[in-house]
Structure formats: C-alpha cells, structure tokens
Amino acid sequence: MSSVGSLSFSLTVFYIRCVPAPNIDTIVSLAKRRGFVFPSSEVYGGLGSAWDYGPLGVELCNNVKQSWWRWLVYDRDDIEGIDSSIILNRLVWKYSGHEATFHDPLVDCRECKSRMRADKLEGYFPEGGRLGEFDANARLRGGLVKCSNCGSTNLTDERYFNMMFRTTLGAAAAEDDPAAVAYLRPETAQGIFINFLNVQTAMRRKVPFGIAQVGKSFRNEITPGNFILRTREFEQMEMEYFVTPDAEHLQMVDEWTALYVEWFKGLGIDGRNLKLHEVPKEELAHYSKRTVDIMYRYFPERAEEERQWEELMGIAYRTDFDLRSHSSKPVDEEGKRINADSTDDLSYFDEPTKTRFYPHVIEPAAGVNRTVLAVLMDAYSERTNDKGETRVILKLAPQLAPIKAAILPLAKNKPEIVGMAKAIKRSLQPMLRAVYDDTGGIGKLYARQDEIGTPLCVTVDHQSLEDEAVTVRDRDTWEQERVKVSELAQHLQRRLQA
Ligand code: ATP
C-alpha cells in the first residue's frame, strides 16, 4: 500500500458490515431522511398508520408497479389490464361475501384499554390447533390469551368487526339510508370479476387468460402498524387468471407461486428472505380451496425464526366462486336464484368443446407497499471503514432505483463545468431519470446518491472541458471509468440493463 498522502482517501478500507437492514426502524429513518416515506399529517400529530410517499418514494412505487405491469401485461400474451372504480355498487360486496364475512375478531384489554386483533394474540389458538376447532371466548375467559401490550389476561370476549370503510353516496343521503350505503373497496379483485365478460368480449379473449389491476384498497385494520406493512389505505397488484373447470388448479397455484418468487428475486430480493406458507384448510378465506402465501423476513431482529416472517403476497385458488355468485343464473338446491339482483350471466362459452361454464380462477394478490418495504430492507447495506465511519448504500436493482444517474459538477463555481453538467443532464433525461446536484463537495454528493440507491454518478471535471469525457462511478463497487460524452447515453443504458 502506498503511503502517499493524496492517495490515502482512495485506499481507505471499507467493508460490508450488515446486509440487509437490521430492522424496519432503520428503514423508517432512512425513508424519512431521504424523502422516500413521511409520516402522514405530521403537522397535526400524524394519523395512526398513514404514510405519505415523498419524491423518491413515489418513483420507487411507480417503478415496482411498472415492473409488475410490464412483466404480466406486456411481456406475456395472455393478460389484459384494467382500472376499475374504487367505489362499486354495494351489491358487489354483498354477493362477494364481504358484507357478511370480511371481518376480524376484536378484543379489548380491561387493564390497559388496548384494542387488539384477537387472532394475533399469544394463546388465542390452542397448541397445534386450527381455527374452527375451538371456542375462542372460552379461551379468553379462561385466561389463556395474553394482551400484546401489557401481558394481562383480563380481556373481553371477542366480537367481529367488519373491515370495510363505509360511506354514503349523494348529498341528500341520510347517514343510515341503506340505499345510499357504499364501501371503499377492500380488494381490487372484485372490480376484475364484474368486468370479466366486458374484457373477454371486447378483447376477444379465450380461456385461459388473465386480467390484472393495480390500485388502492382500504381496510379498517384493527391493529395497523409496522410502518407501511399494515396500513388502512394501501395499494394492491392483483391478477385473476381464468381457467377451465378441469384445469390442474392446485398445481397452477404452485406454478404462479414459482413465477412470483422469481419476479421478487428479479427485484433484488434475496431468496433466503422469502419462504412459502401453505395456508391450513381451516384458515382459508371463504372463496379459497388453496392458498399459498409468500412470506418475507420483515423482522430479522426477532430471536425466534418463525416470528421473523410476515405475508408479502398470497396466491389463491378461488374456484368459480366469484363469477358464479355475481351471475344471474345459478340456483340453489331449492331452485332459487343465488343472486336475485344480477342482470347478467358471467359464464363463458367454450367454442372447441361447445360447453358453457364459469371459469375458475387462480389469483396472485400482491401488495405494492409490502413489496416496496421488502425491496428497501433487502437493498439496505452499510459499509464501515477502518476509522469506524459508516456509509449506507441502497443496492436497489437499477430498474427500481428512483434516480438512474446523478450528474455532478466537480466545481460548482466554474460556469463552464456547471453548464456542461446541466446540458448532459438534459440530454439524458428523455432516456432515463437523471438529476443534477451541486449542493455539496463531491464526497458528500456520492454518499447521498449511494444512500438513495442511484446506480451511477457522472462527474464533470476540469478535464471534461478539454477531452469531452466524464467519469462514471459505480454505486456498488465505487469503481470509476472515463467515458466520452458522445457515448454516455448508450454506456449508461447498457450498464443499467446489465
Ligand atoms: P394479512 O393476513 O396480512 O392481513 P391478507 O391475507 O388479508 O393479509 P390479502 O387479502 O391476501 O391479504 O391481500 C393481498 C395482499 O395485499 C397482501 O399479501 C398484502 O401484500 C396486501 N395487503 C393486505 N392488507 C394490507 C394492509 N393492511 N396494508 C398493506 N398491505 C396489505
């Protein structure tokens, strides 16, 4: 090693200390400091679990959604996209089963007055037991269930709480007018089912095919929390894949699960932080015959391995439940219409077999926010040098990085350098998201871009004025390369796609 003073910075030893993020709190602080996610309504003391996405957060969310949309709607030939209303006719939620069954069990602690979701409490389920096989209130009264806040067993009986947000439509409607009641959608899926025939006919589709939708959903969660993991307003990326009644449905759940695991890995998530969870039969939603959850290790700091995981997404076999229950024709055993309100039949006529049926559905349902959190946690890394100084580097996959290239002038008081850097930024912008930054010394500027995950920095220096070349610096290796300005756009695009 050289002892020449001027080289001492570049020879400082950095080593990776910690990958990925040690806990969610680390991401909360980075996200606020660097403009990804802010606590919502902060000037009024915040609003429970609501979060606002800042300048970089909105880019990251959009990139996740775009990656998903491209992967399903553009790269494949069998999936269409739609964007349905958030507020649908109330009858949609009656016949989907949400009005009757979309609820969670709620208990209050008599000691500390906390209100909690009963089925998330220690002791709620008997050891190795299953939902439906036990009397929850007997367990609550018997002191077997513990308050998650103070540990007391002095809890109320459970009662069911419907999680749909209610509102009333129209200026003249009274609060309790049943004809005016509407809900904010708790899932995007129903907007797809009620449009099944519209899409199939308009796009001349034949089963099997899928319909994808991304958008906001709302659930009045009893216990929101853990940053953007569980909020009352969130975004879903759902796809309903319609298949014949005799398709290999259970196997298709495995196939879609495998495809999604690969997609998540393509977003930069380490496969070791993903695992599959086969949802036990007794815990399946009313419409599902099989569900596999893809879990992410959101809580690496927890001592017990099994408590480190939370659902990232679910892949469900929904049978023909939804299309059938929204249809006018099906009847029950007594010959009565199951749906007395529907004016349409959502069945499908299969030309080759000359048969009519309700398509069955495989549904991969993912959350934008939980994906963003997993991506941030996995991208997070720290480098510590031999002086104990720590630098944060967000190793985001280039396709997800909010900013692809930062154009930095080495001297901001040199108009020629500044002018050249700004011109380079403008020329790159049509191809990729670039920013110009001159708000600090070059070391600070590099550190800031590393911390927000910008894959490449482009530095314009004195020599650039002479040789029409710039330095391109890599976020992960910190290696620098001299590139001609005339070849820069192509060079960056190649590096970002590699
Ligand atoms: P959980 O059991 O965690 O409440 P869920 O099984 O009810 O979730 P689904 O109905 O399968 O969730 O919704 C599909 C996806 O939507 C989830 O895997 C998750 O990514 C996302 N999601 C659901 N509820 C929320 C929420 N309250 N906040 C953020 N994302 C959510």
Side-chain angles (χ1 to χ4, degrees):
M1 262 209 353
S2 167
S3 59
V4 179
S6 62
L7 286 178
S8 63
F9 175 76
S10 57
L11 291 179
T12 304
V13 180
F14 276 84
Y15 57 92
I16 295 178
R17 195 186 74 190
C18 179
V19 178
N23 50 42
I24 290 181
D25 283 347
T26 310
I27 300 298
V28 177
S29 125
L30 169 74
K32 179 165 186 203
R33 192 171 68 245
R34 289 298 182 213
F36 283 92
V37 186
F38 307 123
S40 185
S41 316
E42 225 180 351
V43 293
Y44 293 108
L47 173 68
S49 73
W51 299 89
D52 295 339
Y53 289 79
L56 301 184
V58 65
E59 298 288 344
L60 179 55
C61 287
N62 284 343
N63 292 343
V64 164
K65 288 184 277 186
Q66 263 170 28
S67 161
W68 180 78
W69 193 264
R70 262 194 222 118
W71 173 56
L72 289 184
V73 182
Y74 296 173
D75 293 352
R76 294 179 62 110
D77 299 316
D78 56 353
I79 297 178
E80 302 283 355
I82 65 159
D83 184 18
S84 72
S85 298
I86 284 175
I87 297 177
L88 303 171
N89 188 313
R90 175 187 184 172
L91 293 169
V92 172
W93 306 110
K94 173 175 171 186
Y95 289 103
S96 69
H98 283 78
E99 270 195 341
T101 63
F102 195 64
H103 46 216
D104 277 344
L106 172 155
V107 288
D108 290 309
C109 173
R110 294 194 185 92
E111 298 296 326
C112 72
K113 311 293 176 213
S114 303
R115 178 159 287 182
M116 294 150 289
R117 218 174 114 173
D119 60 335
K120 296 275 179 190
L121 298 181
E122 200 187 316
Y124 181 84
F125 293 112
E127 198 74 10
R130 298 275 181 251
L131 216 98
E133 283 177 2
F134 67 102
D135 181 343
N137 281 333
R139 293 183 69 78
L140 282 155
R141 286 176 213 151
L144 298 171
V145 189
K146 270 202 195 127
C147 169
S148 57
N149 187 42
C150 70
S152 163
T153 54
N154 189 4
L155 304 174
T156 63
D157 278 5
E158 68 176 10
R159 46 201 194 285
Y160 277 92
F161 169 74
N162 194 298
M163 294 200 294
M164 284 195 291
F165 278 99
R166 252 168 88 115
T167 186
T168 43
L169 300 183
E175 273 289 303
D176 52 354
D177 177 358
V181 166
Y183 302 101
L184 303 187
R185 67 180 177 200
E187 63 174 26
T188 61
Q190 296 303 322
I192 296 179
F193 294 127
I194 56 173
N195 277 295
F196 164 72
L197 221 47
N198 288 335
V199 174
Q200 188 261 319
T201 329
M203 309 312 286
R204 308 171 68 83
R205 281 291 182 179
K206 291 192 177 13
V207 166
F209 77 96
I211 305 178
Q213 165 157 240
V214 51
K216 291 249 166 144
S217 290
F218 303 81
R219 296 181 188 177
N220 205 353
E221 296 276 358
I222 298 167
T223 41
N226 291 314
F227 191 35
I228 53 174
L229 183 71
R230 186 178 301 283
T231 50
R232 296 196 168 106
E233 173 181 344
F234 55 96
E235 251 182 316
Q236 290 186 304
M237 301 176 281
E238 294 195 297
M239 198 275 288
E240 309 303 321
Y241 198 72
F242 300 96
V243 299
T244 58
D246 59 359
E248 297 288 341
H249 308 118
L250 301 183
Q251 188 187 318
M252 292 179 93
V253 170
D254 289 326
E255 288 163 9
W256 277 105
T257 304
L259 288 174
Y260 267 80
V261 166
E262 285 312 305
W263 181 66
F264 286 123
K265 287 190 195 164
L267 298 184
I269 296 175
D270 187 336
R272 285 168 301 182
N273 291 326
L274 296 171
K275 78 168 184 185
L276 305 183
H277 170 66
E278 180 82 38
V279 176
K281 283 220 157 36
E282 298 80 3
E283 291 177 27
L284 291 174
H286 61 277
Y287 51 74
S288 173
K289 273 257 170 68
R290 183 184 179 205
T291 299
V292 172
D293 288 341
I294 300 180
M295 317 286 281
Y296 177 76
R297 199 192 301 271
Y298 288 105
F299 305 98
E301 76 281 14
R302 291 185 180 165
E304 304 95 343
E305 216 270 342
E306 71 275 14
R307 290 186 60 243
Q308 297 178 349
W309 306 85
E310 181 63 88
E311 176 182 327
L312 170 58
M313 70 168 296
I315 298 98
Y317 166 39
R318 289 181 84 125
T319 70
D320 60 354
F321 174 84
D322 301 274
L323 290 184
R324 186 180 278 279
S325 54
H326 287 306
S327 288
S328 54
K329 284 205 179 139
V331 289
D332 60 18
E333 301 89 60
E334 291 155 15
K336 244 176 62 197
R337 275 173 63 183
I338 294 173
N339 187 327
D341 298 294
S342 171
T343 56
D344 229 335
D345 190 62
L346 302 178
S347 62
Y348 167 84
F349 185 72
D350 190 49
E351 205 46 69
T353 57
K354 305 279 183 237
T355 51
R356 183 168 282 284
F357 54 80
Y358 295 100
H360 285 230
V361 173
I362 314 296
E363 175 199 71
V368 174
N369 320 79
R370 288 189 194 181
T371 303
V372 163
L373 181 55
V375 159
L376 283 170
M377 290 186 74
D378 246 76
Y380 185 94
S381 68
E382 289 177 1
R383 281 187 186 187
T384 305
N385 67 12
D386 45 9
K387 296 189 207 114
E389 295 160 349
T390 296
R391 293 265 290 265
V392 172
I393 298 160
L394 209 51
K395 298 192 169 201
L396 290 173
Q399 59 157 329
L400 298 186
I403 294 162
K404 312 296 183 203
I407 321 302
L408 315 171
L410 199 65
K412 69 170 174 183
N413 49 4
K414 264 280 207 180
E416 300 91 326
I417 291 180
V418 167
M420 185 172 175
K422 286 185 174 168
I424 290 175
K425 187 266 163 190
R426 275 195 302 277
S427 73
L428 290 173
Q429 193 50 64
M431 265 87 68
L432 47 92
R433 170 94 166 108
V435 295
Y436 166 87
D437 190 6
D438 65 5
T439 56
I442 195 70
K444 270 234 170 70
L445 295 180
Y446 281 154
R448 190 180 300 159
Q449 295 300 332
D450 286 347
E451 207 177 3
I452 62 173
T454 306
L456 298 166
C457 286
V458 174
T459 311
V460 181
D461 54 29
H462 294 89
Q463 208 189 323
S464 306
L465 302 173
E466 260 131 62
D467 65 0
E468 283 284 315
V470 287
T471 301
V472 177
R473 172 200 180 262
D474 186 280
R475 174 194 68 199
D476 301 334
T477 61
W478 292 355
E479 272 168 21
Q480 306 197 353
E481 206 180 331
R482 202 76 184 161
V483 178
K484 283 271 172 222
V485 175
S486 56
E487 292 159 15
L488 184 62
Q490 250 189 340
H491 175 90
L492 297 182
Q493 272 176 322
R494 205 185 59 242
R495 297 269 301 266
L496 290 167
Q497 274 155 18

